[in-house]
């Protein structure tokens, strides 16, 4: 029974680990050619992105790891700027407030 539980747990953790690794690889290759300057400004309002990576902190310490970003907000980013910079927390919170009013 314990062996089955351990196998089941391994099967659940493996896909999660693959997703996390893919995420960090994508961040690495995105930033490699552009430098951290790409993270400094929000592509929607032009304000500071507030990115933890830009501040020299570990990525998972960023506010965006704890906040769900509405898809409708991400769709407002100009196509040329998608996956290039961080939307700021103010834009995310405003979008969430607007969605709750609808």
């Amino acid at each position: 029974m314990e062996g089955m539980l351990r196998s089941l747990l391994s099967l659940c953790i493996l896909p999660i680990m693959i997703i996390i690794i893919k995420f960090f690889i994508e961040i690495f290759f995105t930033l490699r050619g552009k430098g951290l300057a790409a993270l400094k400004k929000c592509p929607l309002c032009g304000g500071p992105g507030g990115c933890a990576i830009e501040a020299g902190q570990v990525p998972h310490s960023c506010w965006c790891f704890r906040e769900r970003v509405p898809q409708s907000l991400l769709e407002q980013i100009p196509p040329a700027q998608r996956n290039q910079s961080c939307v700021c927390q103010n834009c995310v919170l405003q979008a969430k407030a607007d969605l709750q009013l609808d």
Side-chain angles (χ1 to χ4, degrees):
M1 181 75 166
E2 186 178 322
M4 283 179 44
L5 183 60
R6 209 174 272 181
S7 296
L8 182 61
L9 184 59
S10 295
L11 289 174
C12 293
I13 291 175
L14 184 62
I16 293 170
M17 292 302 295
I18 291 171
I19 290 169
I20 291 170
I21 290 168
K22 282 183 176 181
F23 176 75
F24 284 110
I25 289 171
E26 184 176 337
I27 287 175
F28 172 76
F29 283 108
T30 299
L31 296 179
R32 189 176 76 176
K34 296 166 184 45
L36 294 178
L39 298 174
K40 291 187 179 190
K41 290 188 177 180
C42 173
L44 298 174
C45 71
C51 180
I53 298 171
E54 176 195 72
Q57 300 170 2
V58 292
H60 66 271
S61 68
C62 194
W63 64 269
C64 67
F65 276 72
R66 297 178 300 278
E67 195 76 48
R68 184 181 162 109
V69 179
Q71 184 64 33
S72 59
L73 181 67
L74 295 175
E75 291 168 358
Q76 294 176 32
I77 300 172
Q81 292 182 305
R82 291 183 184 166
N83 300 317
Q84 305 298 316
S85 57
C86 297
V87 175
C88 71
Q89 190 172 21
N90 290 336
C91 285
V92 172
L93 295 176
Q94 184 61 51
K96 285 181 156 187
D98 292 346
L99 289 171
Q100 289 178 354
L101 294 176
D102 293 344

